[in-house]
Amino acid sequence: MKNRRIGCLGVFLFILTVITVTVVVILFDSNTRLVTTEYELYYENLPESFDGYRIVLLADLHGAEHGDDNKRLVDAVRDANPDIITIAGDLVDSYQPGRPVEKQFDIVQTLVHQLVRIAPVYYVTGNHEWDIGGVSVTEQFLSMLRENDVIVLRNQHRQLTIGNDSIILAGVEDPGGPADMIKPDDFISNVMDRENPDFLIVLNHRNNSPLFGKQGVDLILSGHAHGGMVRLPFTDGLIGAQNEIFPTYTRGVYTRGETNMVVTAGLGNHFGWTRFLNNPQVVVVELRAEK
């Protein structure tokens, strides 16, 4: 009987060890291995010159590094061969023990200095850029980005042109910004009235954009949700950006009406949360013109 108990205990400890090691390996992989995900989206109204146009979407770095000087991240973006690079906010985060905001500024500066040599870089703020030490610190951060040739869009838009064709990229300021700024719906309506674009892309940090499904918006690029942090089968993640359970629109392509919204799982973690089966992600969107 005693030998049987010892045998059962040994089996239990073996199984427990296997489970523990498996979980540790998955956690390590989920938080360190960078993945690239490509989406091919078809549109009847996309100008033919933009058929095959490649957009890299990054978000939610939170001061993280993927290799020395973010080499693995830069290599992944370069390998994607983008026409433009878009960054949907939360490059920095004031709640990162061991990585003060000043250090994160240096990390981001080193990163964007490399990215702008691959393709034009467009950026909008996330909620954490407005929580790093007051408006003056935020403005200092945005000035640093501009000095490194990043195009900062604060409820502003740019025309992207190939030959005689053009599309519009509009960048929505995060609602954590100035209290008197224009509302996203009004801003995009103004862009539509002024430009009457053939094709409109909106860069917007938050994945619960009020513009999702708005007539005339063809594509929204977002982050914020970190992929729901813990990914299990048949879920869109377990934990939302506001700590809600079973959030929606956390990673992938979603469609409402004529609008596609692409949400990246992001590149870093907010302090206190870890990823599980949800790797840091570089997203590539390839636009295709339906024949």
Side-chain angles (χ1 to χ4, degrees), residues 228 236-248 273:
D236 209 3
L238 299 188
I239 305 165
Q242 278 69 51
N243 298 327
E244 70 270 27
I245 304 299
F246 297 116
T248 57
W273 292 112

Side-chain angles (χ1 to χ4, degrees), residues 24 40 81 102 124 128 131-132 135 145 160 176 188 269:
V24 169
E40 199 173 46
N81 192 28
E102 295 78 9
V124 295
H128 280 280
D131 192 28
I132 56 174
V135 174
L145 293 178
L160 310 177
I188 294 301
N269 294 339

Side-chain angles (χ1 to χ4, degrees), residues 45 61 81 89 143 164 188 227 231 234 236 256 277 285:
N45 60 318
L61 184 70
N81 192 28
S143 294
N164 295 323
I188 294 301
R231 303 284 297 192
F234 310 111
D236 209 3
R256 180 184 294 170
L277 298 175
V285 178

